[in-house]
Each structure stands twice: as C-alpha cells, then as structure tokens.
Amino acid sequence: MSIFLSAIDVINSGFQLFKNLKSLPFNKKKDVSRDTLKTIPERFIYLFECHGVHRNQVPAFFGHGITLHAMADLTELSKQLTPEILHKASNLFGVRQDWLECVSDKIYNVPDFYKHPEEFDHYLTELKQISNELWCYVLRTRDSEHTDDNSDGAFLIVETIGVINNREIVKYYPIGHLCIGYWKSRADFAANCGLLVKSGIQQVGKYADKNWLSQLNDGVIIPKYDYQDGSVAVAASAVWYIDEFFERPENFLNGVDAEANNFGLRSAVDRWLHWSAQGYFDAFGDGSHPTCRKLFERKLEELR
C-alpha cells in the first residue's frame, strides 16, 4: 500500500511541477489585441501581422533599415522607428498615422457612400486603376425581427500588395454602410452591391458578427490574417448571395422596417426602381435586368 501511495505522490508532484512551469512568465501567451497595444513598437508589429507579414519577415518585406534583432526587442525597435518610417508603414497599409503613433484609437477613415452610389462607383474605378488584384467581402448582420434593431452592412475590399512564401500580403479598404434595415439605406446598399458586381471585382457576401461589424464601420479594428490558410480571417459566418439580394424583391425587402402602412417597404422598392433607372442593377449585361425590374414594379403595386 505504501508503495502505491508513494507512486501517487510522485504523479501528483509531477502534475504540480507542470502547472508551476506553465505559470512562469516566459510560458504565458500574451493576449495581443488592439486594446493591449499601448506603445508604437507594439502597434507597428501588429499592423504588419494583421496584413500577413510576420514580425520576423518585416525586415525583408519592408526594409527601411529595420533589423531582425529589433523585431525581437521592443526597446531596440523603438530606436529604429522614425517619423518617416511610421509614415511609410501607415501609407503602405492605408491606416491613420496618428493611430500608429498612439495618439488615437481610430485606425481607418471609413468612407460611407450612403445616398451617393455614383461616388461609390467612382471609388471602385479609382481602385481598379491602382490595382487589378482586388476582391471584396460584402458584409451584413443577419436581419433582425426587431424593427428598432437595424442591421449594418459594410464592404471590405482587399488588395494583394505582395507575396511571401506563396501567401498573399494584403491591404484593406473598409467602406461603411449603416442601418440597412432602414428603407433608404437598404436601397442604397443594394445599389452599391449592383455596382460592385458590375465593376468586375470578385466578391462574396458574408454574415458578420454585429459587434465586429460595428467596430469595422467605426474604423477601430483591423481584420485579422489567417496564417494557416494565407487569407483574411473575417469575423463572419455563413454566406449570402449578393445577386439574389438585389435582384429578388423578397430578398431585398427581408428585414426592412415596414413602418406604418408599409411605407418603408414601398419606399424601398420605389428607391430601388430609381437606382435601376440609373443602370446600377444591370450588373451582368446579359439582358436579364428588365425581367428583374418587372418583378419590383409588380411588388410595388402589391404594396400600394
């Protein structure tokens, strides 16, 4: 019996030693998020890693005299980060330099083309002149059953700006679009979806977490990068189909605040028809749009 108890004591001692070793400072995994980044070197490293450049790859990818030794030591890195380097890094990834300098928590100036799809179209045209390596996530929260809980939308355009070991290094262009449960905003969001498809930029619709999407619209987060897949780790779940959203009245109206006497639904369809007349939904050039327009005209008559 004593030998058996001794064996148990040895095992318990082993477990306790393992727990103690795990609790040592060098074994603790640091929780790195935007809320824990309080110094310029920390934000500098975080900026690159969110876009696909591991901290050990920054010297080779970025250059500007940054050394591998400095990337392993925040004190050394702080000595190498000049205003010029911070300016170049913020320009490279399209973030606000005052965020990188720890002056502000706002990372992006996020444009919103509510009421002005023609400006969104111009924005896409300018981006395509810069790069042909673009794709886009069209993001929205799931439609709520509560009319006072308007869902948000957003566009996250991603540009490939380099490659490391067959992994794409990216730059993000977030574009906000709030409260798409409101009839006017819904129609404008749909118009922008049509223009995006029409532009030829590859796109996919994703349902996103509401809080994450709100932060993206506010410009206070950078989407994370999945190093295993070599892709953007969008905080999103299921896919939704962009063309069905702007071409089918039942999909387009789902989640819109109806308001009194269906005013919201009628107004949404009427505004859809207005943007249709501008050619924003004739996205495929295959002659199918007149049929879609008739569906919306019929829906408007039903709602009157």
Side-chain angles (χ1 to χ4, degrees):
M1 177 67 71
S2 59
I3 295 176
F4 178 71
L5 290 176
S6 297
I8 292 177
D9 290 340
V10 170
I11 292 172
N12 286 339
S13 298
F15 278 126
Q16 187 60 49
L17 177 61
F18 177 70
K19 288 173 64 179
N20 291 340
L21 287 172
K22 284 183 69 178
S23 67
L24 291 174
F26 55 76
N27 274 325
K28 289 185 178 179
K29 184 176 181 180
K30 187 177 180 181
D31 177 24
V32 178
S33 70
R34 66 186 182 89
D35 297 322
T36 63
L37 304 172
K38 303 301 182 184
T39 69
I40 294 175
E42 286 177 319
R43 291 192 177 188
F44 182 82
I45 293 170
Y46 183 77
L47 176 65
F48 279 87
E49 294 199 328
C50 281
H51 293 84
V53 184
H54 188 274
R55 64 190 298 164
N56 296 336
Q57 298 170 322
V58 171
F61 178 79
F62 183 64
H64 298 292
I66 300 296
T67 65
L68 193 58
H69 172 67
M71 294 307 298
D73 187 321
L74 295 180
T75 300
E76 286 299 315
L77 181 57
S78 67
K79 297 175 182 177
Q80 295 188 8
L81 294 179
T82 65
E84 181 184 6
I85 287 177
L86 297 180
H87 177 71
K88 289 182 180 298
S90 60
N91 276 356
L92 178 63
F93 295 116
V95 302
R96 290 162 52 102
Q97 187 171 336
D98 59 357
W99 171 79
L100 194 53
E101 294 169 337
C102 296
V103 176
S104 169
D105 289 329
K106 190 174 180 66
I107 303 170
Y108 293 103
N109 292 322
V110 181
D112 186 329
F113 299 105
Y114 172 55
K115 297 184 180 181
H116 294 287
E118 74 283 355
E119 293 182 6
F120 180 68
D121 190 32
H122 180 67
Y123 182 85
L124 296 179
T125 299
E126 288 190 332
L127 279 183
K128 288 172 64 180
Q129 291 173 349
I130 296 172
S131 172
N132 59 2
E133 296 287 338
L134 301 169
W135 73 97
C136 182
Y137 294 98
V138 185
L139 305 167
R140 55 188 290 211
T141 51
R142 290 187 180 275
D143 295 315
S144 174
E145 296 178 357
H146 306 289
T147 57
D148 61 344
D149 187 21
N150 280 316
S151 58
D152 290 337
F155 299 86
L156 180 61
I157 297 177
V158 184
E159 177 190 2
T160 300
I161 61 172
V163 176
I164 297 178
N165 295 331
N166 297 319
R167 283 190 300 99
E168 294 180 335
I169 310 306
V170 298
K171 179 178 182 177
Y172 306 119
Y173 299 86
I175 301 158
H177 205 107
L178 301 175
C179 300
I180 62 173
Y182 172 55
W183 63 266
K184 187 178 291 186
S185 185
R186 173 63 64 99
D188 293 2
F189 181 66
N192 288 342
C193 287
L195 288 168
L196 175 66
V197 174
K198 194 173 183 178
S199 75
I201 295 174
Q202 293 298 309
Q203 74 292 142
V204 61
K206 286 274 195 175
Y207 288 111
D209 174 78
K210 183 174 182 177
N211 291 334
W212 182 88
L213 190 52
S214 176
Q215 292 173 337
L216 183 70
N217 271 301
D218 289 340
V220 296
I221 60 169
I222 306 176
K224 296 294 183 67
Y225 187 89
D226 187 334
Y227 281 83
Q228 296 299 317
D229 295 336
S231 61
V232 183
V234 175
S237 54
V239 171
W240 59 275
Y241 298 99
I242 301 168
D243 56 337
E244 294 181 359
F245 170 69
F246 68 77
E247 287 193 328
R248 298 184 179 182
E250 64 275 15
N251 292 27
F252 169 71
L253 290 174
N254 187 33
V256 174
D257 184 357
E259 301 187 31
N261 300 315
N262 282 334
F263 173 80
L265 300 181
R266 290 197 311 275
S267 299
V269 175
D270 189 57
R271 192 168 179 83
W272 184 100
L273 291 169
H274 169 73
W275 293 135
S276 169
Q278 310 301 313
Y280 296 163
F281 298 120
D282 190 7
F284 302 103
D286 58 1
S288 64
H289 180 63
T291 301
C292 293
R293 182 177 174 86
K294 287 179 181 177
L295 293 175
F296 278 82
E297 290 171 340
R298 190 178 307 142
K299 174 56 72 172
L300 185 58
E301 288 299 319
E302 291 175 4
L303 292 169
R304 281 177 174 161

